[in-house]
Amino acid sequence: MMSTGGLITRSAAALLPAAEQPPVTTPRDPAREAAERELSKQMYHQDDPGLLQRALDRFWEWVGDLFDHASGATPGGTLGLVAIAVLVALAVAALWWRLGSPRRTATTAAALFGDGLRSAADHRSAAEAHAAQGRWTEAVQERMRAVVRSLEERTVLDPRPGRTADEAAAEAAACLPDHAEALRAAARAFDDVTYGGRPAHPETYAHLRTLDLALTHAKPLLTGTPS
């Protein structure tokens, strides 16, 4: 039977065929709780990413967001940001090339000469022998020692045990100002190949050889006070 409002009464619904029975509905909150309980079962999470994978995903999402914000704030957008990154990388590479590896700073103060006294001629002969065999690091080292030993033999420098290449260059530059820059460059080359781990090249040795020959004919300035 139908009520006045057109709703099916309980007694009337019971008389309807099974196919015409109204659907049974579950209240919203119990349905949601039942679904959550079902989805929380382990069988639904066997293929979920692990903690590390989730952390990595979050990190790369953060990097992507950061890159998007940076590219939006940079003139030229993404292309401008890439250009800035390239310039920064080039600047770091230039500093590394100029200053050498970090270990150079800690060991630059080591003495120029080792144990045993050798003449400038001995150091030159050793340098030429190394150069002939393509051992440019050893050739540069021996030629720098020849430069300093020659200045000591000519009394331009006072013989002093423990002197470093930088100290020798600075002291010699005071007496030979025309060669000051070449002396400093020679000391840097010696430090770079000896302590900085940088490879020597034939051009480096050629500059040192030219400096050595030039200094043998250079007349030092008198720095003492006339009597």
Side-chain angles (χ1 to χ4, degrees):
M1 296 178 65
M2 301 292 292
S3 67
T4 306
L7 298 177
I8 302 175
T9 64
R10 292 180 179 272
S11 58
L15 299 176
L16 293 174
E20 298 180 8
Q21 292 286 340
V24 178
T25 58
T26 305
R28 179 178 300 174
D29 290 341
R32 176 173 53 79
E33 293 173 358
E36 291 176 351
R37 285 195 301 271
E38 178 66 21
L39 294 176
S40 66
K41 295 180 180 180
Q42 183 64 31
M43 60 181 293
Y44 296 107
H45 302 279
Q46 293 178 353
D47 298 325
D48 288 355
L51 179 61
L52 178 60
Q53 184 62 46
R54 291 198 300 272
L56 288 174
D57 292 341
R58 289 290 183 88
F59 172 75
W60 289 118
E61 289 176 4
W62 176 80
V63 171
D65 292 341
L66 183 64
F67 186 83
D68 291 339
H69 285 94
S71 62
T74 304
T78 303
L79 183 60
L81 185 63
V82 171
I84 292 174
V86 170
L87 290 176
V88 171
L90 290 175
V92 172
L95 286 173
W96 186 274
W97 181 86
R98 176 64 181 82
L99 300 177
S101 63
R103 56 181 179 152
R104 178 187 172 216
T105 303
T107 56
T108 296
L112 175 64
F113 297 102
D115 296 333
L117 181 63
R118 300 172 65 190
S119 68
D122 291 336
H123 287 296
R124 289 190 185 104
S125 297
E128 289 294 306
H130 289 309
Q133 298 178 18
R135 297 199 298 264
W136 299 112
T137 295
E138 293 85 350
V140 166
Q141 292 169 331
E142 288 298 323
R143 202 75 197 201
M144 183 62 189
R145 292 176 181 129
V147 167
V148 177
R149 184 67 78 205
S150 176
L151 294 174
E152 291 178 348
E153 291 173 352
R154 295 173 56 203
T155 69
V156 176
L157 295 177
D158 294 329
R160 179 162 58 85
R163 177 186 277 126
T164 66
D166 292 327
E167 292 170 345
E171 294 170 18
C175 302
L176 300 161
D178 292 341
H179 301 279
E181 183 57 35
L183 283 164
R184 285 191 288 267
R188 285 197 300 269
F190 179 88
D191 289 343
D192 286 342
V193 303
T194 305
Y195 312 119
R198 289 180 55 187
H201 302 285
E203 295 80 5
T204 308
Y205 178 73
H207 289 313
L208 263 170
R209 186 176 184 275
T210 299
L211 174 64
D212 185 21
L213 296 177
L215 291 179
T216 60
H217 302 291
K219 184 177 181 180
L221 296 178
L222 298 177
T223 58
T225 303
S227 56

